[in-house]
């Protein structure tokens, strides 16, 4: 386990549901920070894509979320804890093509049902837990190159 | 292929970022669905899309897309070009339908973005 003293960087951000004007800004901020630290472009890109998909899910489906971004010598971890409707069947939500997006959301370029599968593909470890009517926690972990 | 050549093939005009017209593009990714771009696009591609909102640029930034070209005569929504300038992503617009835009680029031998990813 990584001890507190090994944390290189820890930041918190908030995301507001339905705020399409700012949607994606937390992910692009995290991306710039990782680039600045000097992580290789493919690692930066994987974290950015996974975080962006999760951030968009908060904007589209939840009310608000706290995003915790943590870098240790071993890994980059992004945790999105949202308050919202939650996901009843996580296994179903993880399936490629499964989406409950409305036409309005589809017109904005989302709703392919590829977000969660994309997050899984780009992370080394993914944990999704949810409680209907309460919210969802998505924890994305990408290992740092050694 | 240089971005400038792609613009010529598409009959596209630069809305912003013309000073970067000499950049090399590694391939093309065409979609109106942003998750598709994130899943199947690879770095440094030209994104052809009919989606003109700010998310097209946000997605391009996240996926390391080189430049964005809007098809079907669509023009970016307010704020989209400002965001693109801020991110250093050139924006183009052409009047072709997506199918014809892809066809023309493909004819010139530019590989799809995904084949670049496979060779990494
Ligand atoms: N944070 C969340 N809160 C509530 N429901 C969610 C959340 N994230 C995902 N979901 C549900 O899981 C489904 C699948 O999510 P996923 O991100 O894979 O696809 P999508 O958002 O519908 O489309 P895409 O991500 O391709 O634009 C969503 O349609 C939604 O029903
Ligand atoms: Mg999604």
């Amino acid at each position: 386990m990584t001890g507190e003293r090994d944390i290189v960087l820890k930041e918190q951000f908030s995301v507001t549901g339905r705020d399409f004007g700012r949607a994606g800004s937390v992910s692009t901020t995290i991306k710039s920070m990782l680039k600045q630290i000097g992580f290789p472009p493919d690692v930066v890109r994987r974290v950015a894509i996974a975080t962006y998909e999760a951030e968009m899910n908060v904007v589209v489906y939840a009310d608000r979320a706290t995003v915790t971004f943590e870098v240790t010598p071993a890994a980059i971890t992004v945790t999105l804890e949202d308050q919202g409707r939650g996901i009843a069947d996580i296994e179903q939500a993880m399936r490629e093509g499964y989406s409950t997006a409305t036409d309005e959301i589809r017109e904005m370029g989302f709703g392919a049902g590829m977000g969660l599968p994309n997050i899984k593909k780009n992370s080394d470890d993914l944990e999704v837990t949810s409680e209907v009517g309460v919210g969802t926690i998505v924890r994305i972990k990408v290992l740092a190159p050694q | 292929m240089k971005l400038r050549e792609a613009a010529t093939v598409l009959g596209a005009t630069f809305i912003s970022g013309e000073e970067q017209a000499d950049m090399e593009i590694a391939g093309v990714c065409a979609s109106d669905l942003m998750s598709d771009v994130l899943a199947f696009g690879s770095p440094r591609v030209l994104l052809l899309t009919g989606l003109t909102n700010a998310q097209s640029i946000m997605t391009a930034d996240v996926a390391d897309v080189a430049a964005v070209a809007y098809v079907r005569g669509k023009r970016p929504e307010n704020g989209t070009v400002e965001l693109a300038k801020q991110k250093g992503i050139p924006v183009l617009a052409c009047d072709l339908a997506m199918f014809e835009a892809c066809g023309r680029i493909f004819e010139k031998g530019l590989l799809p973005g995904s084949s670049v990813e496979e060779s990494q």
Side-chain angles (χ1 to χ4, degrees), chain B residues 45-67:
Chain B
V45 298
L46 170 66
L47 171 62
L48 297 179
T49 185
L51 190 81
T52 55
N53 59 16
Q55 294 314 315
S56 63
I57 302 299
M58 278 292 188
T59 304
D61 186 39
V62 164
D64 291 336
V65 161

Side-chain angles (χ1 to χ4, degrees), chain B residues 6-29:
Chain B
T8 306
V9 170
L10 294 170
T13 51
F14 278 88
I15 294 176
S16 67
E18 189 162 8
E19 66 282 357
Q20 293 187 72
D22 285 322
M23 70 157 68
E24 273 301 321
I25 52 171
V28 171
C29 178

Side-chain angles (χ1 to χ4, degrees), chain A residues 52-69:
Chain A
Y52 181 65
E53 291 282 18
E55 182 179 358
M56 286 314 303
N57 280 352
V58 171
V59 173
V60 175
Y61 304 108
D63 301 331
R64 74 193 71 82
T66 303
V67 183
T68 307
F69 167 55

Side-chain angles (χ1 to χ4, degrees), chain A residues 20 23-25 27-28 31 41 45 48-49 52-53 56 107-110 112 114-115 118 121, chain B residues 32-43 51 53 55 58-59 61-64 87 117:
Chain A
F20 286 96
S25 57
S27 306
T28 53
K31 184 176 184 184
R45 188 172 185 269
I49 290 176
Y52 181 65
E53 291 282 18
M56 286 314 303
E107 272 164 30
M108 299 181 77
F110 296 89
M114 290 296 291
N118 260 354
K121 194 179 102 186
Chain B
D32 289 350
L33 285 169
M34 295 302 104
S35 279
D36 270 357
V37 176
L38 296 165
F40 306 115
S42 53
L51 190 81
N53 59 16
Q55 294 314 315
M58 278 292 188
T59 304
D61 186 39
V62 164
D64 291 336
K87 304 282 185 196
E117 190 171 59

Side-chain angles (χ1 to χ4, degrees), chain B residues 61-91:
Chain B
D61 186 39
V62 164
D64 291 336
V65 161
V68 177
Y70 298 118
V71 296
R72 300 196 284 274
K74 293 197 171 191
R75 293 297 177 265
E77 288 173 19
N78 278 344
T80 303
V81 177
E82 276 317 304
L83 184 65
K85 283 183 187 163
Q86 209 181 303
K87 304 282 185 196
I89 300 170
V91 175

